């Protein structure tokens, strides 16, 4: 039995807000075609058929939808996807996921998401002030209260959701405020997404996370998180979960955590397929999902070149005690999380040194909260 994950961008780079740090706006601006518009029904139908080509009875498939803002494709688009999946004859277990800014979510969306058991990633930037500074609408107004309304709707409809928080360099100074916000809003699942510098930036953006701030943020966050865990409450912070899965369970549950790339199968609205969400660029186009299945796409020369790109992790990595478990980490996040350019500091190493000595106790405490 195999489990395949596919990331679909049904509205391409289109978005109804203007986040000041948006990495996909940066990536898509480097393509010959910035946005491919909305995915057409004939592309959607053929996409599902060709994804199922290499699946067998009993396999699992996760269809995740991202953007831009995927809800701009419209509710009928997603109804169509579900109907195309249901029309397939193979008995494949299909899981749905949606990452959204929450602006367009209403009662009809909630009923649909609940009915088809979508796991939703809802973007909230950890604190009202920082959210409204960076996540603004087309008129420059903050969107926090609109998104919080959506969060409350998800609670009312009992929709499973995670909060996705972009960890900018300024926000990384506010671990205490961020954790207090999670507690006040009863947010049980959170993932902090490192804010990246532009792909071909000459100088660092003020938003871009640095390894020092990454380490400082998680160092403070861990103290609050661990104290709460000791008091009997478990709150899922994805990085801490990933570290326990890797160092206790021997399972890699985050892309790039072992330092080697994987093919993610990112499908743009025109059907073009790319190996990684960070590299949805013309030079990395593997082919079109309308023309071939996932196995054939994986066998393309571009796929092999992406997987085999050489990396020079430098002397700091070579002497690191966690080198075998890390391998230098995700290459796109190296400047945000890992080793500084002067080869004197690694944010990820510092986090590991703080968290891993508590591994046994963490697992015992987590087990007691679930019993």
């Amino acid at each position: 039995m195999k489990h395949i994950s596919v990331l679909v961008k049904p509205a391409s780079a289109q978005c109804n807000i203007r986040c000041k740090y948006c990495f996909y706006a940066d990536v898509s601006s480097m393509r010959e075609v910035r946005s491919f518009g909305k995915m057409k029904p004939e592309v959607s139908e053929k996409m599902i058929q060709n994804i199922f080509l290499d699946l067998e009875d009993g396999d699992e498939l996760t269809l995740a939808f991202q953007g831009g803002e995927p809800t701009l494709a419209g509710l009928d688009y997603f109804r169509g996807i579900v109907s195309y999946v249901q029309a397939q004859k193979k008995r494949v277990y299909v899981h749905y996921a949606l990452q959204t800014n929450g602006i367009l979510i209403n009662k009809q969306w909630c009923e649909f998401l609940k009915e088809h058991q979508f796991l939703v990633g809802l973007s909230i930037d950890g604190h009202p002030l920082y959210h409204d500074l960076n996540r603004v609408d087309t008129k420059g107004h903050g969107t926090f209260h609109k998104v919080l309304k959506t969060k409350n709707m998800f609670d009312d409809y009992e929709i499973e959701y995670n909060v996705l928080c972009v960890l900018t360099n300024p926000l990384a100074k506010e671990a205490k405020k961020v954790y207090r916000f999670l507690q006040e809003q009863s947010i049980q699942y959170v993932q902090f997404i490192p804010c990246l510098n532009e792909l071909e930036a000459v100088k660092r953006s003020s938003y871009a996370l640095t390894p020092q701030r990454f380490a400082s943020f998680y160092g403070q966050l861990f103290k609050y998180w661990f104290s709460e865990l000791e008091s009997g409450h478990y709150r899922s912070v994805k990085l801490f979960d990933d570290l326990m899965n890797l160092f206790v369970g021997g399972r890699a549950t985050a892309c790039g955590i072992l330092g080697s790339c994987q093919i993610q199968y990112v499908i743009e609205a025109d059907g073009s397929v790319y190996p990684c969400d960070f590299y949805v660029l013309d030079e990395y186009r593997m082919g079109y999902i309308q023309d071939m299945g996932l196995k054939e796409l994986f066998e393309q020369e571009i796929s092999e070149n992406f997987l085999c790109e050489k990396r020079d992790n430098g002397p700091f990595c070579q002497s690191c005690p966690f080198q075998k478990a890390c391998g230098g980490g995700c290459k796109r996040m190296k400047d945000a999380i890992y080793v500084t350019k002067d080869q004197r500091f690694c944010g990820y190493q510092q986090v590991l040194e703080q968290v891993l000595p508590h591994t046994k106790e963490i697992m015992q405490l987590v087990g007691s909260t679930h019993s």
Side-chain angles (χ1 to χ4, degrees), residues 72-357:
L72 287 173
L75 193 48
D76 284 344
Y77 166 84
F78 288 92
R79 291 184 177 127
I81 289 291
V82 171
S83 69
Y84 300 143
V85 167
Q86 291 173 342
Q88 305 306 307
K89 292 187 170 26
K90 294 176 182 176
R91 290 182 290 107
V92 173
Y93 301 97
V94 180
H95 312 278
Y96 298 104
L98 173 73
Q99 183 172 332
T100 179
N101 59 36
I103 302 298
L104 295 179
I105 299 298
N106 56 21
K107 176 183 176 182
Q108 289 72 33
W109 273 101
C110 286
E111 290 173 349
F112 173 82
L113 296 171
K114 180 64 177 178
E115 179 184 358
H116 297 287
Q117 298 181 302
F118 271 70
L119 171 62
V120 181
L122 179 64
S123 295
I124 307 178
D125 271 3
H127 188 274
L129 172 63
Y130 287 92
H131 182 105
D132 278 347
L133 277 173
N134 298 320
R135 301 187 67 83
V136 297
D137 62 21
T138 54
K139 296 181 179 179
H141 300 146
T143 59
F144 176 78
H145 289 293
K146 290 182 180 179
V147 180
L148 194 64
K149 182 180 178 181
T150 295
K151 181 259 180 196
N152 293 332
M153 288 179 66
F154 287 163
D155 289 332
D156 292 341
Y157 278 86
E158 298 182 336
I159 291 169
E160 189 176 356
Y161 69 94
N162 302 333
V163 162
L164 306 175
C165 174
V166 177
L167 188 60
T168 61
N169 218 39
L171 183 62
K173 295 188 294 184
E174 307 289 358
K176 185 175 183 179
K177 288 181 180 179
V178 170
Y179 207 79
R180 185 178 297 159
F181 173 77
L182 298 177
Q183 292 173 318
E184 290 171 351
Q185 294 298 326
S186 300
I187 293 169
Q188 298 302 316
Y189 300 90
V190 62
Q191 177 180 355
F192 295 99
I193 302 170
C195 186
L196 304 178
N197 211 21
E198 293 180 351
L199 196 59
E200 297 180 355
V202 177
K203 63 179 183 177
R204 181 177 289 276
S205 160
S206 61
Y207 304 110
L209 189 64
T210 63
Q212 292 91 338
R213 286 275 176 86
F214 169 83
S216 173
F217 175 81
Y218 273 106
Q220 295 176 62
L221 196 79
F222 179 73
K223 293 176 183 177
Y224 305 130
W225 178 82
F226 189 68
S227 175
E228 193 176 38
L229 186 59
E230 287 182 307
S231 70
H233 180 80
Y234 167 69
R235 192 180 309 277
S236 173
V237 176
K238 191 171 188 305
L239 178 64
F240 298 151
D241 292 348
D242 289 335
L243 294 182
M244 293 305 106
N245 288 333
L246 181 62
F247 287 94
V248 178
R251 295 179 293 115
T253 51
C255 183
I257 198 169
L258 297 176
S260 55
C261 290
Q262 304 167 20
I263 299 296
Q264 289 184 325
Y265 299 114
V266 181
I267 304 178
E268 257 286 5
D270 67 335
S272 54
V273 186
Y274 307 82
C276 174
D277 194 28
F278 293 138
Y279 297 96
V280 185
L281 300 165
D282 295 338
E283 59 264 37
Y284 287 99
R285 187 185 298 116
M286 297 153 57
Y288 291 85
I289 194 64
Q290 306 96 303
D291 302 331
M292 60 187 88
L294 299 180
K295 183 179 179 182
E296 189 176 355
L297 284 161
F298 184 83
E299 292 171 348
Q300 299 301 302
E301 185 177 355
I302 290 177
S303 309
E304 183 179 350
N305 292 341
F306 179 79
L307 292 173
C308 298
E309 283 180 354
K310 291 184 178 181
R311 301 175 58 184
D312 180 12
N313 290 327
F316 193 99
C317 285
Q318 303 307 320
S319 62
C320 177
F322 306 110
Q323 199 275 335
K324 289 185 179 179
C326 168
C330 170
K331 64 183 179 182
R332 182 65 179 93
M333 293 190 182
K334 63 180 181 179
D335 294 333
I337 293 178
Y338 302 102
V339 183
T340 54
K341 291 188 184 301
D342 62 10
Q343 293 285 311
R344 294 183 178 180
F345 179 81
C346 175
Y348 186 62
Q349 183 192 76
Q350 184 163 306
V351 172
L352 293 182
E353 289 174 344
Q354 181 173 7
V355 174
L356 294 186

Side-chain angles (χ1 to χ4, degrees), residues 9-20:
K9 294 182 177 290
S12 193
Q14 295 181 23
C15 193
N16 51 354
I17 65 174
R18 299 292 181 266
C19 298
K20 295 177 181 177

